[in-house]
Amino acid sequence: MGEAPIQAVERAFEVVRLLEQLDGSGPTEIADLMGIHKTTAYVYLQSLETCGFVYKQDGEYRLSYRFLSTGNRLRERDRIYQAARDEVTHLAAETGELPTLVVEESGRAVILHQQRGENSLELGTYPGMMLPMHTTASGKCLLAHLPDERIDAVVDGGLEAVTERTVTDVDDLRDRLDGVREDGYAVDFDQQVVGMGVIAVPILVDDRPVASLGIGCPSKRLQRASYREELLQTLFEAQDRISIKYRYGR
């Protein structure tokens, strides 16, 4: 295609991103959105189809479930997922809420696993979803235990406001991270989703944050001190079991 290899790869992934966003499209629309020739867009779509990551249906190209297969294989191999999977299921059954296992990747909080309980909120979250680390208690648990230079990089990248309650002041965030390290957990309300509260604990191995375990529920429910304490004790117990499984189980 007469392009530098890096640009070709970047454009291929831009096509993937657009197909995800549009839930299917054709070369004309892709070309218009990317500002490239229709023939070039067609070549990218055909190449992705040949590789099995895109398929054509009713005249439109769509992402294939090969992405799901790849993601699931990646997750199944993850040691912290293996250690925490059953605990997340147990938490959902025990609390009826929405327990979530979160990991850090490239300065973002990534939902690795979650399980809906019988009373859980329907938030539209899903495994693989990426969130700004400062916007949720689960992310703060991870961020608080990263090296100082990693924290600085996240903070210097800007603290976007997802809701009116999102922490966007750097000093405020650093104070909260100090609190996470001192208290051993984080809690927040309405910072990622209005009406949702999250309480979370870090999973640390040799002082390194491998994940965080959180429970999301309606803010008003979590604001009750007695209920918050009940969930926190449940999380601490699960935290211990996961840490042991991570260290010694296979």
Side-chain angles (χ1 to χ4, degrees):
M1 288 181 284
E3 297 177 321
I6 292 178
Q7 184 182 38
V9 171
E10 289 175 345
R11 282 188 171 179
F13 277 102
E14 177 64 10
V15 171
V16 168
R17 187 191 68 80
L18 288 172
L19 289 178
E20 177 187 12
Q21 185 180 73
L22 299 169
D23 194 24
S25 186
T28 300
E29 185 176 24
I30 294 294
D32 289 342
L33 290 170
M34 292 181 62
I36 59 178
H37 196 277
K38 178 181 176 180
T39 302
T40 303
Y42 179 71
V43 170
Y44 278 112
L45 290 165
Q46 272 202 321
S47 298
L48 288 166
E49 183 181 20
T50 300
C51 293
F53 288 97
V54 165
Y55 71 99
K56 192 175 183 180
Q57 182 180 62
D58 300 328
E60 287 192 332
Y61 291 89
R62 300 179 182 277
L63 298 184
S64 79
Y65 284 120
R66 184 161 184 177
F67 285 99
L68 179 62
S69 174
T70 301
N72 279 338
R73 285 201 307 271
L74 179 65
R75 185 174 68 167
E76 289 293 334
R77 291 197 297 260
D78 195 302
R79 188 172 174 184
I80 188 61
Y81 173 75
Q82 295 172 4
R85 175 179 49 200
D86 292 343
E87 291 295 332
V88 171
T89 299
H90 176 73
L91 282 173
E94 182 178 0
T95 67
E97 303 290 5
L98 181 66
T100 302
L101 182 71
V102 173
V103 296
E104 182 267 337
E105 183 180 87
S106 301
R108 305 277 286 183
V110 183
I111 297 176
L112 188 63
H113 183 46
Q114 66 177 23
Q115 183 74 44
R116 287 182 171 83
E118 60 180 358
N119 300 316
S120 66
L121 291 169
E122 293 290 340
L123 299 172
T125 56
Y126 53 87
M129 186 175 185
M130 291 189 169
L131 306 168
M133 296 183 73
H134 68 284
T135 66
T136 174
S138 295
K140 292 184 184 73
C141 279
L142 293 167
L143 186 59
H145 294 281
L146 291 177
D148 289 341
E149 61 270 18
R150 295 286 308 284
I151 297 175
D152 292 341
V154 171
V155 170
D156 292 344
L159 304 177
E160 75 173 284
V162 179
T163 74
E164 292 183 355
R165 296 290 300 277
T166 303
V167 176
T168 57
D169 181 80
V170 173
D171 291 335
D172 186 5
L173 177 62
R174 290 188 182 278
D175 286 343
R176 289 173 186 253
L177 297 182
D178 288 340
V180 172
R181 286 186 286 269
E182 182 176 344
D183 300 332
Y185 73 95
V187 61
D188 59 44
F189 306 97
D190 309 317
Q191 293 195 30
Q192 175 65 38
V193 176
V194 175
M196 180 187 76
V198 179
I199 186 166
V201 297
I203 308 296
L204 303 175
V205 176
D206 299 326
D207 296 324
R208 178 175 62 89
V210 296
S212 64
L213 184 66
I215 295 177
C217 63
S219 293
K220 289 184 179 179
R221 199 145 69 209
L222 190 59
Q223 285 168 349
R224 299 202 308 266
S226 59
Y227 188 61
R228 190 165 62 248
E229 184 62 27
E230 178 184 334
L231 290 182
L232 181 59
Q233 291 307 311
T234 301
L235 282 170
F236 278 147
E237 292 170 6
Q239 177 192 50
D240 286 341
R241 291 192 293 268
I242 292 171
S243 296
I244 292 171
K245 289 179 182 179
Y246 184 90
R247 286 176 180 273
Y248 305 110
R250 295 302 299 174

